[in-house]
Amino acid sequence: QTDFFRFEQRPPKPKAGPTTSARGDKQMMVQATEVQYDHVNERVNAVGNVQIYYDGSTIEADKVTYNQKTKRLRAEGNVRLTEANGNITYGDILELNDDYRDGFVDSLRLETPDATRFAAARVDRSEGRYSVLQSGVYTACEACKNDPKKPPLWQVKGARIIHDEQEKMIYFEQAQLEFFGMPVAYFPYFSAPDPTVKRKSGFLMPSFGSDSKYGLRADAPYFWALAPNYDLTLTPTITTKQGPLLQAEFRHRLMNGAYAIRAAGIRQLDKDEFIHTNGDPTPGYRDWRGAVESNGQFALNQKWVWGWDALLISDKTFYQDYHLKSFTNNASDPFQNGQMEGVSQLYLTGRGNRSYFDARAIHYYGFSEFDDQKQLPVVHPVIDYNYIVGQPVLGGELGFKFNLTSLSRQTASFDPITTFAENNDACGLSTADPAVKNTKNCLLRGAPGSYTRFSAEANWRKSIIDPFGQIFTPFFSLRADVASVNLTNQPGVSNFIETSDSALFRGMPVAGLEYRYPFVNVQSWGTNTIEPIAQVIVRPNETQIGKLPNEDAQSFVFDDGNLFAVDKFSGWDRVEGGGRANYGVQYTAQFNQGGYFNALFGQSYQLFGVNSFAVGDATNTGLNSGLDTRASDYVARLAYQPDRIFTFTTRYRFGEENFDVKRFELEGKANFDRLSLQALYGNYAAQPELGFLTRREGILGGVSYKMTQNWAVIAAARYDLDADQFDQTRLGLGYVDDCLILALNYITSYTYSGNPGKDHRVMLQFGLRTLGTTQTSTGVGSIGGGL
Amino acid sequence: CFQPLYGTASAVSGSPAVSTAMATVDVEQIDAPNGTPEARLGNEIRNALIFGLTGGGAAASPAYRLKINISGNNQRVIVDTTTARPDMEIYGIDATYSLTELATNKVVLTGRAFSRSSYDIPGQQQRFARQRGERDAQNRASNILAEQIKTRLASYFVSGG
Amino acid sequence: CGRKGPLDAPPGGLAADADGSLDNETDQGGDEIKYRRSKSKSLPIIRGPNKPIPLDVLID
């Protein structure tokens, strides 16, 4: 789950006792072991686990005396009043008049359904609405089981506490906040919505922190619940070095959707804080900085939604510098970094029973200092449409896939693929000399101009199982692409791709057969399954390689996931051609109580024709991938999840000559009840022709340990072994129980982009359940898990 | 000893051939709000499972209902310490599922499954290529997850579940 | 102090299908809103009206 520290869930509260209503005219019904009639004092004493049912509520006590003269009911000895609305009141002495709404209770202990507790020497309940507690105490902490007299973790003592049930507010007069019984803060007058209220205008819990770029920081959000379906939150923030920052968020829910508009702005007092140690200014070196962001999503019906995300921002590192979570933050990143780009998009998405439609126009805004906005494409639009025919066609499954991609880019983007080119900036934008800027030294990462491609594919497949248990799956597919390419001939672009306008067509018929023969061995503890798998695919060669720019298929990883994919490319700009065989074996041990171990090992072989992965396009996709040799590298996977505690998985790619490790990823997670560990390790051999000039190796680790029932420490770090440097580290210490969160987080970021030097950040998270928690609760995501 | 999992010539334990039992499993649409990545993943996983269970043929009258809950996440092992941009990411799906026998409306099987697929971002800067790489990794992870669940169901039916 | 909880539907508005965070919260009406991780933590995702629209021809 995403929140670092969250209140512990208490076991669900038992339903209030059965309210047996008295007969007819709300007559009070009394049950007791003995009822004494004291005529002299006109009293009725019921003694011995007395139960009184009246008007939908019940009173239980050791002794109840009913004074007919004063019409007062007094219950004594572990009194328990269970009202119709579920409120349970305990007390030693319960004085109630006949319709007992306006009774007096001594040392009343009122417990509301939301498990908050009032205690008071005396409580006056009047007009069925107000409970006025004299020198009362309010807390949301569970009373200590074995020593109820020990003061709860935190409590608010007040000369007078007034609980207005109609207005759902609690008012404290001369209130004193106590922690562990010691007074910590004093408020002459203080009010808070009672726990049953979900939205109420007023100050939210302030949050505190510090950062080397803006010094100390205090956020004091104020929330206006303008209407049940829209509200405004204004958060003035004071920073010691940079002065005030203002944040605002307007949320509005309409009939079939909701949208929000968020804005933040600051006039920086000391912009010199945003200069790198080497003197270069970071994007933050400016006076005025700010952003306006909006997102919204509306439902057309139960299958179709449309929406937008929009971002207008003053500079690339504004969100990073002031730790403003943009809408699309990556919740599973332990360091709570938002995405490294601001995505503005307009989309229409439809989800059917087996079909899916998504059309999207996208603009990217890079958040790294090294992003050149003119080299990022604007996508107008990308449409993906998959449809599977519900009924079998010719006994098999017929499916259609369509993709339209239309985008344009202002400036070309080149990347060096040799250390010579990198050191001498041979691939710079201005140089055009083909002797230097050529396909030996560089690759064209982004083609300037505009490019539109429409692709359509029909595929049919059917599995036939013969009596011996062999599974034969013939499959056929027919695909056509039509593209219009008009690139601008910027310096050097023509060394990599034809820049004359061209309309291109490409077709690809495919026929193939997949063969599987799973064997099973049933044991007492579970089953073993061994499954040899083989595929033969027959196709003509791929055409137009290098003529079509490659925009959506640049990312290519050969692994266990696409070993048996009919077309291994990750996008539509490339299509796999030629004859190919994929073969491997999969083993699964399935334990009866649900855990499992799974392993896969396999290889791919280029049977005939042109090996699409050995012929690089403008981005060299396919080269150095392991599939660019006739016999491919070997790929393998191990996955082990015995129970709820352990998760372990590794993926490999071994070189086909000498089995050297080309790609290795490992993930291990262990969630014991007090200790949770997670490690993620990646080791990737250099792929110079793709622009990965050096070996990449990194580790992401996290541990969270609950030292006691409530105290926990958390540590997480991401370390780049190749650069021999930390990317980010995080230390957290926190106290959590069902009613209090107190956590301190210390995050250090070592990355150069946007940071003048090493960036140290401290965040204090503070929360009293029902009175408020700080907004900026950090999320540890899956690293070390939350508590 | 090992026998063919789907062999009908020597029925393993008298129960109907595993493949006919598998075809009676009705995969419920995976619950995820529209417009979220999990909604698209839900369709990919369900379609892969339906083909795995029925081989593309007509669905038999359902005797079981399979309900799956999924959650996707995205993690970065390597972040460039200069540009602060990731050059690879791992997309993961974690799922829990339960099989209910319609006749008795009793949950006969519950389990967990997970899958991971990594994708590179060559050059780090091209965000459209990254988004399409992530989409492909999601599809790969969905197919692996569907395969894990299918194997679990087969082992349940073959051991006379 | 105030409290910032999930938005309620306008009068006659449709039920929320899910919101952004991963916690289960009970809304005013008492029915449990299922939450799924989505773009923003603060906005509910509304389950649309159950009425056909022309676009439905594209998806089954």
Side-chain angles (χ1 to χ4, degrees):
Chain A
Q1 43 34 322
T2 60
D3 277 339
F4 178 51
F5 283 106
R6 290 182 354 158
F7 295 110
E8 270 175 32
Q9 304 303 335
R10 264 203 257 163
K13 286 205 65 55
K15 271 265 168 286
T19 51
T20 52
S21 68
R23 291 180 319 282
D25 57 358
K26 282 205 292 188
Q27 228 248 341
M28 186 180 288
M29 202 178 75
V30 180
Q31 276 172 342
T33 44
E34 188 196 345
V35 177
Q36 307 152 345
Y37 292 94
D38 173 354
H39 299 297
V40 169
N41 308 319
E42 288 183 352
R43 286 180 185 205
V44 177
N45 301 330
V47 181
N49 63 57
V50 182
Q51 286 171 347
I52 295 184
Y53 303 107
Y54 180 66
D55 190 15
S57 54
T58 55
I59 303 172
E60 294 148 68
D62 295 344
K63 178 169 179 262
V64 170
T65 55
Y66 180 43
N67 183 327
Q68 285 161 323
K69 233 186 341 218
T70 62
K71 282 201 179 307
R72 283 226 174 259
L73 180 72
R74 170 190 281 253
E76 288 156 30
N78 25 38
V79 179
R80 202 169 98 106
L81 160 65
T82 310
E83 289 169 66
N85 61 15
N87 279 0
I88 306 168
T89 314
Y90 306 95
D92 294 342
I93 301 168
L94 188 61
E95 185 99 22
L96 299 167
N97 63 15
D98 231 4
D99 57 11
Y100 70 81
R101 276 169 309 149
D102 296 337
F104 289 85
V105 173
D106 290 346
S107 69
L108 164 91
R109 287 172 60 80
L110 169 71
E111 185 168 323
T112 60
D114 249 54
T116 52
R117 181 161 301 96
F118 296 89
R122 209 170 97 119
V123 173
D124 297 347
R125 288 173 64 104
S126 54
E127 296 150 35
R129 176 179 164 175
Y130 298 105
S131 299
V132 179
L133 291 79
Q134 308 298 345
S135 64
V137 171
Y138 169 81
T139 180
C141 300
E142 183 116 291
C144 179
K145 305 276 180 310
N146 35 39
D147 172 9
K149 281 289 159 279
K150 188 160 81 68
L153 220 20
W154 63 263
Q155 57 188 4
V156 181
K157 275 194 176 137
R160 264 163 48 101
I161 301 179
I162 300 133
H163 177 207
D164 177 344
E165 278 169 24
Q166 216 162 10
E167 215 192 67
K168 290 183 183 294
M169 280 297 286
I170 314 171
Y171 299 94
F172 301 84
E173 286 163 5
Q174 281 90 41
Q176 190 174 289
L177 178 61
E178 282 186 8
F179 269 80
F180 308 98
M182 284 127 33
V184 165
Y186 173 79
F187 310 93
Y189 173 79
F190 171 81
S191 73
D194 86 18
T196 58
V197 170
K198 289 299 171 205
R199 292 171 72 245
K200 197 80 185 178
S201 297
F203 278 100
L204 305 178
M205 195 58 81
S207 68
F208 308 96
S210 81
D211 185 286
S212 16
K213 291 176 243 180
Y214 52 70
L216 293 175
R217 161 182 185 159
D219 297 53
Y222 186 85
F223 173 66
W224 272 289
L226 302 169
N229 63 326
Y230 58 87
D231 54 43
L232 179 67
T233 312
L234 270 182
T235 309
T237 303
I238 308 299
T239 67
T240 48
K241 284 186 187 168
Q242 302 297 348
L245 159 82
L246 188 64
Q247 297 170 66
E249 178 185 57
F250 174 75
R251 305 187 309 172
H252 190 191
R253 176 168 162 180
L254 300 165
M255 302 300 281
N256 54 3
Y259 70 92
I261 301 170
R262 211 184 247 198
I266 184 169
R267 187 182 181 295
Q268 292 186 143
L269 301 180
D270 181 4
K271 63 181 182 183
D272 297 341
E273 283 290 336
F274 293 95
I275 299 178
H276 286 297
T277 39
N278 59 19
D280 296 344
T282 75
Y285 180 69
R286 44 188 302 139
D287 294 328
W288 290 95
R289 300 181 73 187
V292 177
E293 189 167 345
S294 165
N295 94 312
Q297 183 167 310
F298 292 84
L300 298 170
N301 65 5
Q302 301 228 334
K303 299 175 179 175
W304 288 91
V305 291
W306 71 276
W308 74 85
D309 292 310
L311 170 71
L312 211 56
I313 194 163
S314 62
D315 58 274
K316 295 177 176 162
T317 52
F318 177 58
Y319 276 154
Q320 168 188 338
D321 288 342
Y322 287 92
H323 312 300
L324 302 172
K325 266 201 283 234
S326 85
F327 279 119
T328 55
N329 74 329
N330 177 345
S332 64
D333 180 346
F335 308 104
Q336 270 301 286
N337 298 337
Q339 296 291 84
M340 273 313 287
E341 61 274 333
V343 177
S344 301
Q345 59 188 347
L346 186 64
Y347 57 89
L348 169 69
T349 305
R351 180 187 187 192
N353 189 12
R354 300 192 65 185
S355 51
Y356 202 84
F357 177 92
D358 181 277
R360 205 168 280 263
I362 313 169
H363 173 273
Y364 301 102
Y365 183 87
F367 282 169
S368 164
E369 259 188 73
F370 297 83
D371 281 328
D372 178 343
Q373 202 51 39
K374 297 193 295 301
Q375 291 181 342
L376 295 182
V378 176
V379 182
H380 40 71
V382 55
I383 301 179
D384 291 294
Y385 176 38
N386 297 3
Y387 187 89
I388 293 184
V389 177
Q391 306 314 327
V393 171
L394 302 175
E397 177 188 87
L398 176 65
F400 299 93
K401 286 186 184 159
F402 304 93
N403 174 281
L404 171 73
T405 300
S406 171
L407 56 86
S408 52
R409 171 183 293 105
Q410 218 175 329
T411 314
S413 163
F414 299 93
D415 278 347
I417 57 173
T418 58
T419 38
F420 160 77
E422 185 175 45
N423 301 339
N424 306 312
D425 193 18
C427 310
L429 286 176
S430 51
T431 55
D433 172 9
V436 175
K437 195 168 173 180
N438 51 40
T439 50
K440 271 206 312 307
N441 284 326
C442 320
L443 58 81
L444 176 65
R445 183 70 66 203
S450 70
Y451 163 61
T452 305
R453 173 194 36 75
F454 174 71
S455 303
E457 178 189 276
N459 45 57
W460 180 92
R461 55 182 179 162
K462 172 167 181 45
S463 285
I464 304 153
I465 304 179
D466 77 356
F468 301 100
Q470 300 176 94
I471 308 172
F472 299 90
T473 307
F475 52 85
F476 303 91
S477 83
L478 187 62
R479 172 175 153 180
D481 307 298
V482 57
S484 130
V485 184
N486 5 65
L487 306 178
T488 50
N489 190 0
Q490 292 176 3
V493 171
S494 53
N495 304 344
F496 298 88
I497 191 167
E498 280 169 40
T499 52
S500 56
D501 293 356
S502 54
L504 303 162
F505 173 78
R506 178 177 63 189
M508 182 56 75
V510 178
L513 177 71
E514 179 178 290
Y515 170 81
R516 286 175 181 242
Y517 201 173
F519 284 81
V520 69
N521 162 290
V522 181
Q523 300 285 342
S524 56
W525 46 265
T527 62
N528 286 309
T529 313
I530 293 182
E531 182 176 28
I533 308 170
Q535 260 181 358
V536 172
I537 307 170
V538 174
R539 283 171 299 216
N541 294 335
E542 179 185 9
T543 55
Q544 317 286 15
I545 302 176
K547 293 204 178 62
L548 281 177
N550 183 345
E551 291 289 344
D552 72 352
Q554 289 186 16
S555 164
F556 181 54
V557 170
F558 174 43
D559 69 359
D560 58 303
N562 55 19
L563 168 62
F564 294 108
V566 175
D567 183 335
K568 295 184 174 40
F569 281 116
S570 68
W572 294 83
D573 284 337
R574 290 293 303 271
V575 64
E576 189 181 332
R580 178 167 290 277
N582 304 313
Y583 40 86
V585 60
Q586 176 170 223
Y587 166 73
T588 305
Q590 188 66 57
F591 311 118
N592 285 343
Q593 28 69 351
Y596 69 97
F597 170 79
N598 168 271
L600 180 101
F601 180 82
Q603 186 183 31
S604 182
Y605 192 83
Q606 170 70 14
L607 294 175
F608 56 82
V610 169
N611 180 354
S612 288
F613 305 107
V615 182
D617 52 24
T619 58
N620 290 347
T621 303
L623 304 184
N624 298 159
S625 67
L627 278 162
D628 45 355
T629 46
R630 188 164 196 103
S632 82
D633 286 353
Y634 300 98
V635 287
R637 160 184 83 225
L638 300 176
Y640 178 56
Q641 189 169 46
D643 47 35
R644 199 170 293 282
I645 295 175
F646 291 101
T647 304
F648 176 82
T649 183
T650 60
R651 285 175 300 285
Y652 305 87
R653 177 157 65 86
F654 301 108
E656 41 100 21
E657 302 110 358
N658 43 36
F659 233 73
D660 55 332
V661 176
K662 292 284 185 62
R663 195 177 175 97
F664 170 54
E665 280 163 338
L666 175 140
E667 175 181 346
K669 243 192 306 195
N671 288 324
F672 305 100
D673 58 0
R674 288 174 55 160
L675 171 72
S676 66
L677 301 153
Q678 180 171 19
L680 219 58
Y681 170 74
N683 186 333
Y684 311 94
Q687 294 172 304
E689 286 172 298
L690 293 177
F692 296 118
L693 301 178
T694 58
R695 170 177 289 276
R696 294 176 293 153
E697 195 179 1
I699 186 160
L700 175 63
V703 58
S704 80
Y705 177 58
K706 276 174 89 170
M707 298 169 287
T708 68
Q709 168 58 13
N710 300 104
W711 284 98
V713 65
I714 240 177
R718 184 168 24 221
Y719 184 72
D720 185 327
L721 286 103
D722 175 54
D724 190 13
Q725 194 193 344
F726 276 104
D727 158 56
Q728 296 219 14
T729 57
R730 169 191 195 149
L731 285 171
L733 176 67
Y735 175 91
V736 171
D737 72 3
D738 63 335
C739 63
L740 168 75
I741 294 180
L742 194 61
L744 199 63
N745 293 288
Y746 174 63
I747 295 183
T748 309
S749 162
Y750 297 81
T751 51
Y752 175 83
S753 164
N755 291 332
K758 255 197 319 199
D759 181 57
H760 303 282
R761 169 155 65 112
V762 172
M763 282 187 302
L764 176 67
Q765 185 187 359
F766 171 75
L768 306 176
R769 190 173 70 82
T770 71
L771 286 189
T773 49
T774 47
Q775 293 305 310
T776 57
S777 65
T778 57
V780 77
S782 48
I783 281 295
L787 296 189
Chain B
C1 69
F2 278 89
Q3 287 122 349
L5 171 59
Y6 294 102
T8 51
S10 57
V12 172
S13 61
S15 60
V18 172
S19 57
T20 45
M22 299 266 275
T24 64
V25 173
D26 166 33
V27 187
E28 222 177 58
Q29 181 157 50
I30 293 177
D31 173 34
N34 287 338
T36 58
E38 278 86 0
R40 192 181 79 79
L41 291 178
N43 270 28
E44 291 287 326
I45 293 168
R46 182 166 176 272
N47 285 338
L49 251 177
I50 288 176
F51 183 76
L53 296 170
T54 63
S61 64
Y64 296 89
R65 181 180 57 241
L66 179 66
K67 183 165 175 27
I68 305 172
N69 282 313
I70 61 170
S71 152
N73 63 66
N74 196 318
Q75 291 195 257
R76 299 162 186 173
V77 180
I78 294 179
V79 172
D80 186 310
T81 47
T82 306
T83 65
R85 295 180 302 208
D87 60 20
M88 60 73 58
E89 286 181 320
I90 297 179
Y91 193 83
I93 307 176
D94 294 290
T96 56
Y97 54 87
S98 66
L99 187 69
T100 310
E101 192 174 30
L102 294 182
T104 61
N105 205 12
K106 195 157 61 63
V107 174
V108 294
L109 169 75
T110 61
R112 309 159 60 85
F114 75 101
S115 63
R116 299 284 185 268
S117 268
S118 75
Y119 58 100
D120 278 344
I121 311 163
Q124 297 174 8
Q125 184 177 231
Q126 293 307 324
R127 297 324 197 276
F128 181 61
R130 172 191 166 279
Q131 193 171 345
R132 301 306 289 189
E134 176 180 39
R135 191 175 189 280
D136 178 67
Q138 288 173 341
N139 295 346
R140 282 183 273 145
S142 300
N143 288 323
I144 296 171
L145 192 83
E147 184 91 20
Q148 310 283 7
I149 296 178
K150 183 187 118 180
T151 308
R152 174 79 169 99
L153 295 179
S155 86
Y156 167 76
F157 286 120
V158 79
S159 52
Chain C
C1 46
R3 183 168 304 143
K4 184 172 185 179
L7 287 166
D8 294 324
L14 298 164
D17 179 7
D19 191 339
S21 61
L22 261 181
D23 322 317
N24 287 351
E25 267 175 31
T26 315
D27 76 348
Q28 293 303 34
D31 56 356
E32 197 159 330
I33 300 182
K34 290 193 300 304
Y35 284 85
R36 286 292 176 284
R37 180 179 320 199
S38 85
K39 284 188 281 295
S40 93
K41 234 168 118 64
S42 64
L43 282 181
I45 295 179
I46 309 297
R47 179 178 290 279
N50 197 349
K51 67 174 172 55
I53 57 171
L55 282 170
D56 286 347
V57 72
L58 282 175
I59 52 177
D60 54 0

